[in-house]
Amino acid sequence: MITVKRDPYQLHRTALAPLLPGAGKLELSKASKAAVSISEQEFTVFLLRQGLAPIWAAKLKKYELPLFSDETTKTLRQARLSATGEYLLQRKSLGAIRTALDEADIPHAVLKGQHTRERFFSEPALRPCADIDLLIDPADKVRAIKAMQGTGFTFYGSAEYISHECSLEKGKTYIDLHWDILRPGRTKIPMAQTILSMRQDYESHWGLSDNATLYLLLVHPVFTKYLTAPQASLVRQLDLIYLLESWANSWDTVVQLLSESGLKTAAWLSLMWLTVLTGVSAPPDVMSKLQPGKIRRRYLENWLVKDLSTHWLDLPRVVQLGFTLPAHDKWVDSVRAIKSIRDCRKLGKVTLATLEEQVS
């Protein structure tokens, strides 16, 4: 008997199809029927894990399509209510964070979902976020932590990640404070100051410019989430899709940032996967500027199509060697990254102890 393997991205495509720009009742109906044919329970769990349940709940209510069971409908509605409650709490926290850091004269910018939902989602509360990501200048990390401690936040650090970030917590509000966009050495040159210089005032918060946001959306998931692995929630694809839908800038600045940081290949991977999932694509001339050489291109395309990041997820070293290292533009960049990661881990406990002493 011949076993036919299911498309590894079948659930991904079904979940995203009715959420794309221009999609309406017909696309939602088709996707809902496809979901039921796959497995309603499996699809519901998938939506919850991928951060898409709230927006699906809103779409189903808008078009009044009772295609799911009462239990599934209730689960999706509850996800929407929970996301709304978390949003209201986090939106209030954004104001307090801005006030504290502005009064301390610390330039900062809100990153990732907390920013993209305010900037690109018509109903921001439908875009779940577990925490608030902030970017600061490395020279300001002690002052920033102390400023937040002054408002009641507690500092938490991990030796594994203290080279570039720490956590702050107050009640149900969680902050990831970054002083680099990735672990040091991933980029050819430190990018925090460059990215931070492109921040803009969005009234509710300081956020990155669209150019800087696009740059970060294209490179961050490749190295921190292995791009196609389960932890790379699909709601991040909506961030990218909605940004590109409203894109009115030149790609030149973004390509320059990618070139300076040695991460054009990583951006090409992200855009390739977006096209695989949704058909949304960047201009051909941009893809031509970003793509790696023929051999590495074919190798990485095969990795994407077969979802090898998920296949090897239990062996992260395989993914790191087989995927994230080739995602650098040159092998010298990969070697630099390996050395820097090794050094950061070696010094992690000492770095953490020093920072704990400075903020105590």
Side-chain angles (χ1 to χ4, degrees):
M1 179 181 294
I2 299 176
T3 301
V4 179
K5 293 184 179 180
R6 191 171 80 179
D7 178 356
Y9 301 130
Q10 184 179 17
L11 286 173
H12 300 64
R13 293 191 181 95
T14 302
L16 288 172
L19 311 182
L20 300 180
K25 185 174 183 178
L26 177 60
E27 288 77 14
L28 182 62
S29 178
K30 288 181 177 179
S32 299
K33 291 176 181 178
V36 172
S37 68
I38 296 169
S39 168
E40 183 175 327
Q41 182 178 9
E42 180 183 358
F43 187 71
T44 303
V45 171
F46 184 79
L47 290 180
L48 291 168
R49 289 176 176 172
Q50 299 297 325
L52 299 178
I55 195 168
W56 259 80
K59 288 279 187 178
L60 290 168
K61 182 178 180 180
K62 175 181 179 180
Y63 293 112
E64 299 181 343
L65 291 177
L67 296 175
F68 292 123
S69 66
D70 290 343
E71 181 180 358
T72 294
T73 301
K74 182 179 179 180
T75 298
L76 295 178
R77 287 175 179 172
Q78 184 57 50
R80 182 181 182 181
L81 289 174
S82 297
T84 300
E86 291 174 355
Y87 170 73
L88 294 175
L89 175 63
Q90 292 171 343
R91 178 64 187 265
K92 182 178 179 180
S93 296
L94 282 182
I97 291 167
R98 172 170 182 158
T99 297
L101 294 179
D102 280 353
E103 289 181 351
D105 194 26
I106 299 173
H108 65 281
V110 178
L111 307 175
K112 304 180 187 177
Q114 284 286 345
H115 172 63
T116 56
R117 69 182 179 184
E118 298 290 346
R119 181 80 176 106
F120 304 113
F121 284 68
S122 58
E123 191 173 342
L126 297 179
R127 202 289 189 198
C129 291
D131 46 40
I132 299 172
D133 289 276
L134 296 176
L135 179 66
I136 57 170
D137 190 296
D140 290 330
K141 61 175 176 288
V142 174
R143 291 199 307 123
I145 293 170
K146 287 185 174 181
M148 298 313 301
Q149 286 175 323
T151 66
F153 280 87
T154 301
F155 165 82
Y156 293 98
S158 164
E160 175 72 13
Y161 301 107
I162 201 63
S163 61
H164 57 294
E165 64 180 54
C166 70
S167 298
L168 299 161
E169 179 180 336
K170 182 172 72 173
K172 294 183 178 180
T173 301
Y174 307 94
I175 296 175
D176 280 346
L177 185 66
H178 305 262
W179 44 91
D180 206 336
I181 61 169
L182 295 166
R183 195 185 298 275
R186 279 293 185 191
T187 54
K188 289 172 63 175
I189 58 174
M191 295 297 293
Q193 292 178 325
T194 299
I195 294 299
L196 198 58
S197 71
M198 303 170 73
R199 71 175 187 153
Q200 295 179 1
D201 188 346
Y202 293 93
E203 297 186 358
S204 63
H205 66 284
W206 287 99
L208 297 182
S209 68
D210 289 353
N211 284 331
T213 296
L214 179 54
Y215 166 79
L216 199 61
L217 287 175
L218 292 176
V219 303
H220 194 268
V222 174
F223 300 104
T224 64
K225 306 296 182 182
Y226 304 151
L227 190 58
T228 66
Q231 65 265 32
S233 57
L234 280 187
V235 73
R236 294 182 175 88
Q237 294 299 310
L238 289 186
D239 294 340
L240 183 54
I241 290 168
Y242 294 165
L243 186 158
L244 292 175
E245 173 67 11
S246 63
W247 187 250
N249 299 334
S250 166
W251 277 84
D252 292 346
T253 299
V254 180
V255 173
Q256 181 179 351
L257 289 172
L258 293 166
S259 181
E260 290 175 353
S261 56
L263 299 180
K264 292 187 296 181
T265 301
W268 172 82
L269 276 166
S270 291
L271 290 168
M272 283 293 295
W273 195 46
L274 180 66
T275 302
V276 167
L277 294 182
T278 67
V280 176
S281 59
D285 64 312
V286 172
M287 295 299 286
S288 179
K289 293 176 182 178
L290 299 180
Q291 68 183 13
K294 183 182 296 185
I295 295 176
R296 194 148 50 100
R297 187 165 70 244
R298 289 179 177 175
Y299 168 79
L300 290 170
E301 285 174 347
N302 182 67
W303 190 283
L304 281 183
V305 170
K306 295 183 178 179
D307 191 17
L308 295 182
S309 290
T310 299
H311 179 78
W312 292 109
L313 194 57
D314 292 337
L315 296 171
R317 289 297 177 88
V318 174
V319 183
Q320 292 160 10
L321 291 172
F323 181 65
T324 61
L325 288 183
H328 291 277
D329 289 348
K330 298 180 180 179
W331 287 113
V332 66
D333 296 328
S334 301
V335 172
R336 180 198 62 247
I338 292 173
K339 183 180 183 303
S340 180
I341 291 171
R342 182 191 61 195
D343 292 345
C344 287
R345 287 174 174 167
K346 182 179 179 179
L347 297 173
K349 291 182 179 180
V350 174
T351 303
L352 176 58
T354 300
L355 186 55
E356 287 177 333
E357 182 178 353
Q358 290 174 324
V359 302
S360 62

